[in-house]
Amino acid sequence: MSEEINLSAQVPYDLGGFRLDQAMAKMFPEYSRSRLQGWIKSGELLVDGKQLRARDKLLGGEQVTVGVELQSEERWQPEDIPLDIVFEDDHILVINKPAGLVVHPAAGHQQGTLLNALLHHFPAIGTVPRAGIVHRLDKDTTGLMVVAKTIEAQTELVSQLQDRSMGREYEAVVQGVMTGGGEVDEPMGRHPKNRQKMSVSPMGKEAITHYRLVSKFRGHTHIRLKLETGRTHQIRVHMSHINYPLVGDPVYGGRFRQPKGISEDLQDSLRSFKRQALHAKKLELWHPHNGELMSWEVDLPEDMESLLESLAQDAKSLTADY
């Protein structure tokens, strides 16, 4: 499957003196700079019918034409995997991701991913880089994700992620009883000894997580979190860093521990919770085509609801003892 892009425009005179790549970024902001530079280099973007270099200066008034045939990603196969679709139109797709679903094919996960499901649901998305995926959730994190169905939508959504105008809120259950909300502002990078993990690092990239309390229990806290940045494993690493690791986190949770005197029901719930207790509950963004502010919110998955119920029942039994 392929998609054709045909563009034609005259260079405004106020862009005279600009480099070709700089002028194209201003004329065609719906496409990323790297994609435009690729078209310039391949000769698919012509100026007055001629191929120029990205650094060549324009005078203004030239005619720019683009003729591109985008080929679908053929290395990934469509698969009929059910999707919980919260919203869909011609430009974006918002899904509620279940636990256990890998977002993008990688070593050990070439099939059965969200990307494979997207190619089956909407084959034309294969012409969009990474099948329109603009941000990811870990395999065992549940909740809301937005996917771009066109290159233009993807460029705009990536821009919103970068300028932090896209709002993402999560809910989590952590070990330990917090006294109040707060902020973790600690840079993150790859773990120096284990490249599969992330860690707080003074040489890492900026990472900011805000959190507030929803409810407190005997030895755990239910919290709501808001991301300013979107580093890999950010919430999991930041909460572990301040000694409130997520319940069930197999990588950053540390040694399994449980408060003394808790009920058998809660003991069983904690031991059987084998994934990080993290859910992407709310997503807010500006629609990439019409500019409308849109927002979605989804309920917690059944396993987290059950865990919170067990925590609440245990807390009630503690109160009754007094």
Side-chain angles (χ1 to χ4, degrees), residues 37 100 141 146 171 181 188 190 268 273 280 286:
Q37 287 171 340
T141 297
V146 61
E171 287 197 13
M188 286 175 51
R190 288 284 168 192
D268 291 342
F273 206 94
W286 301 91

Side-chain angles (χ1 to χ4, degrees), residues 18-275:
F18 277 73
R19 287 169 46 123
L20 174 60
D21 56 352
Q22 294 172 334
M24 294 306 97
K26 291 182 180 294
M27 288 175 62
F28 305 114
E30 65 272 28
Y31 298 103
S32 67
R33 284 176 178 266
S34 60
R35 182 169 289 276
L36 289 166
Q37 287 171 340
W39 292 344
I40 293 169
K41 192 172 183 180
S42 66
E44 292 166 307
L45 187 153
L46 301 175
V47 180
D48 288 337
K50 300 176 184 176
Q51 181 177 358
L52 300 183
R53 296 168 300 181
R55 66 174 182 270
D56 288 341
K57 299 285 183 67
L58 297 175
L59 297 174
E62 297 95 334
Q63 192 68 26
V64 175
T65 55
V66 178
V68 180
E69 186 173 358
L70 299 174
Q71 296 299 322
S72 178
E73 295 278 10
E74 295 181 355
R75 54 187 168 142
W76 296 310
Q77 295 301 313
E79 292 182 57
D80 188 3
I81 300 168
L83 292 173
D84 182 359
I85 298 172
V86 178
F87 174 83
E88 182 175 14
D89 64 10
D90 292 339
H91 309 278
I92 62 174
L93 180 71
V94 177
I95 67 156
N96 183 15
K97 189 186 90 63
L101 181 63
V102 173
V103 169
H104 195 283
H109 294 286
Q110 291 296 326
Q111 298 176 324
T113 72
L114 173 62
L115 186 145
N116 299 110
L118 290 169
L119 289 172
H120 180 272
H121 174 73
F122 182 63
I125 209 168
T127 61
V128 184
R130 298 176 301 284
I133 294 169
V134 296
H135 66 120
R136 303 187 188 190
L137 293 177
D138 297 334
K139 174 186 174 184
D140 288 324
T141 297
T142 57
L144 291 167
M145 283 183 62
V146 61
V147 176
K149 294 176 73 174
T150 66
I151 291 175
E152 296 87 345
Q154 188 180 49
T155 302
E156 170 58 25
L157 291 173
V158 168
S159 176
Q160 289 184 38
L161 281 168
Q162 292 173 341
D163 68 19
R164 305 179 186 180
S165 59
M166 184 184 294
R168 291 167 293 159
E169 292 188 23
Y170 295 71
E171 287 197 13
V173 182
V174 300
Q175 300 178 43
V177 182
M178 291 180 163
T179 55
E183 174 189 293
V184 185
D185 184 352
E186 295 285 354
M188 286 175 51
R190 288 284 168 192
H191 193 283
K193 295 180 180 177
N194 183 348
R195 304 302 290 175
Q196 301 300 312
K197 293 175 63 175
M198 304 296 288
S199 65
V200 166
S201 166
M203 303 301 291
K205 294 181 179 179
E206 181 186 33
I208 302 171
T209 306
H210 303 275
Y211 62 92
R212 59 182 173 84
L213 274 55
V214 177
S215 50
K216 296 192 286 187
F217 306 102
R218 191 190 306 224
H220 298 83
T221 311
H222 177 196
I223 59 174
R224 187 109 176 200
L225 307 107
K226 188 165 188 177
L227 293 181
E228 272 197 45
T229 53
R231 307 302 171 206
T232 302
H233 300 173
Q234 180 173 319
I235 289 174
R236 299 165 64 188
V237 170
H238 271 175
M239 291 300 104
S240 180
H241 179 72
I242 62 173
N243 297 316
Y244 292 102
L246 271 59
V247 167
D249 193 327
V251 179
Y252 305 102
R255 184 173 58 84
F256 177 77
R257 62 183 192 267
Q258 54 189 22
K260 292 180 180 179
I262 63 173
S263 66
E264 287 187 17
D265 175 61
L266 180 54
Q267 288 182 42
D268 291 342
S269 293
L270 290 169
R271 288 190 180 280
S272 63
F273 206 94
K274 298 298 186 183
R275 70 174 184 93

